[in-house]
Amino acid sequence: TSSTSEAYAYLFWALADPGDEVLVPTPSYPLFAYLADLAGVRLRPYPLAYDGAWHLDLPALEAAAGPQTRAVIVVSPNNPTGSFLKHDELAALRAFAARRALALVSDEVFLDYGFAPDPRRAPSLAAETEGLAFAMGGLSKAAALPQLKLAWTVIAGAEAPAGAALARLAFVADTFLSPGAPVQSALPSLLAQAPARAARVRERARRNVAALARAFAGSAATPLRVEGGWTAVVRMPHTRSADAWAHALLERGVLVQPGYFYDFADEARLVVSLLPPPAAYDEALARWRALLDEDVGA
């Protein structure tokens, strides 16, 4: 497909009829609602919980499923929390999906951007041998090339359901013929260059995570633990709403996003990019810390 957004649309069409449901994590990137509306699919959210680290709330996930649920979306690492799916969580998801005959859809666009090795981390669902699973990736993140539009979905799992899914997806793909021939032809070369490009981006993000922790040490704000990806979440004091914090920072030349953009229930959460150059990032963090200190002093 030309993007993972388009891949989601293909999967919604292939897996669900209009009015059927798909489980999606919250918080997560605010694109699912638009894609589901266009496909005629209803979303049922399930929460990610935080207690010093992010994890799936498995009882809540199971409670969210209804008779018309057709698939479960997982994002590993999640955007914006930067949390990876773990082995025990994947095992529980497999069992849940098997009981309910659900497909697992794994958005793995940031999979190459883990900040440190972790033996608890689940592998790509591209290696699945059970049930029905889809693992999604694309050039936008894997090779840090968002302007070259190409993404891919690996269909995995048991032979019979995977084969049926491939036939349905092939019909959709042949109907739209979306990806361009030049970028498809260039894909082997682009993927050969991808590890070096991803390594530079990963090092930038890792460095900025450390800068974020240093900047807020001893302050009233707390950066939440992040394992990978390109974003981080900061828990702010409840002296202002997320909107008020975001606007106050914007007035100082610092751009962040309020957490409710990503369906955070807690208003005092801000989401910040980890991609800016170090000098600009450190200056932005200094302005952010100054605003925090002024707020506490007031």
Side-chain angles (χ1 to χ4, degrees):
T1 55
S2 63
S3 65
T4 49
S5 298
E6 188 175 59
Y8 274 118
Y10 284 18
L11 289 170
F12 288 162
W13 291 328
L15 295 173
D17 291 323
D20 283 345
E21 299 169 346
V22 174
L23 303 184
V24 296
T26 181
S28 62
Y29 193 67
L31 186 65
F32 295 135
Y34 300 103
L35 294 170
D37 283 346
L38 289 170
V41 172
R42 292 186 295 174
L43 299 182
R44 293 180 67 91
Y46 67 88
L48 302 181
Y50 186 82
D51 55 9
W54 293 98
H55 57 88
L56 294 185
D57 186 334
L58 291 165
L61 183 148
E62 297 204 21
Q68 289 182 276
T69 301
R70 299 292 177 257
V72 182
I73 293 174
V74 293
V75 185
S76 184
N78 179 271
N79 181 8
T81 67
S83 52
F84 283 87
L85 189 69
K86 305 302 189 297
H87 284 288
D88 59 337
E89 294 173 328
L90 177 55
L93 278 172
R94 283 194 191 108
F96 170 60
R99 288 197 307 273
R100 300 296 302 268
L102 304 179
L104 295 178
V105 177
S106 182
D107 185 331
E108 301 173 358
V109 296
F110 288 109
L111 194 64
D112 297 320
Y113 294 95
F115 297 152
D118 186 348
R120 302 171 302 155
R121 189 174 299 160
S124 166
L125 262 66
E128 276 296 292
T129 58
E130 305 174 31
L132 178 60
F134 303 88
M136 303 161 64
L139 287 179
S140 176
K141 308 303 186 298
L145 292 171
Q147 72 277 23
L148 295 180
K149 304 300 291 181
L150 193 69
W152 48 83
T153 301
V154 177
I155 305 171
E159 184 175 350
L166 177 59
R168 293 195 296 272
L169 287 169
F171 177 82
V172 175
D174 287 345
T175 301
F176 287 94
L177 294 175
S178 177
V183 71
Q184 291 187 70
S185 297
L187 185 59
S189 174
L190 295 171
L191 288 179
Q193 302 168 32
R197 297 178 65 88
R200 292 195 295 272
V201 176
R202 186 168 54 247
E203 187 53 39
R204 167 81 59 85
R206 186 188 291 119
R207 183 264 175 208
N208 284 345
V209 165
L212 197 66
R214 289 194 301 271
F216 293 120
S219 77
T222 305
L224 303 188
R225 185 170 182 267
V226 56
E227 300 173 65
W230 291 2
T231 54
V233 179
V234 179
R235 183 168 54 212
M236 298 293 288
H238 282 82
T239 51
R240 310 184 192 210
S241 68
D243 258 347
W245 280 117
H247 280 106
L249 286 165
L250 190 60
E251 290 172 356
R252 296 177 180 229
V254 179
L255 179 63
V256 298
Q257 293 178 321
Y260 67 82
F261 280 12
Y262 300 82
D263 293 327
F264 275 105
D266 184 339
E267 271 204 25
R269 308 264 178 131
L270 297 178
V271 177
V272 57
S273 172
L274 296 173
L275 296 182
Y281 206 71
D282 292 348
E283 173 61 25
L285 291 177
R287 297 181 189 185
W288 191 342
R289 177 61 188 258
L291 174 63
L292 270 168
D293 291 343
E294 289 171 17
D295 186 78
V296 172

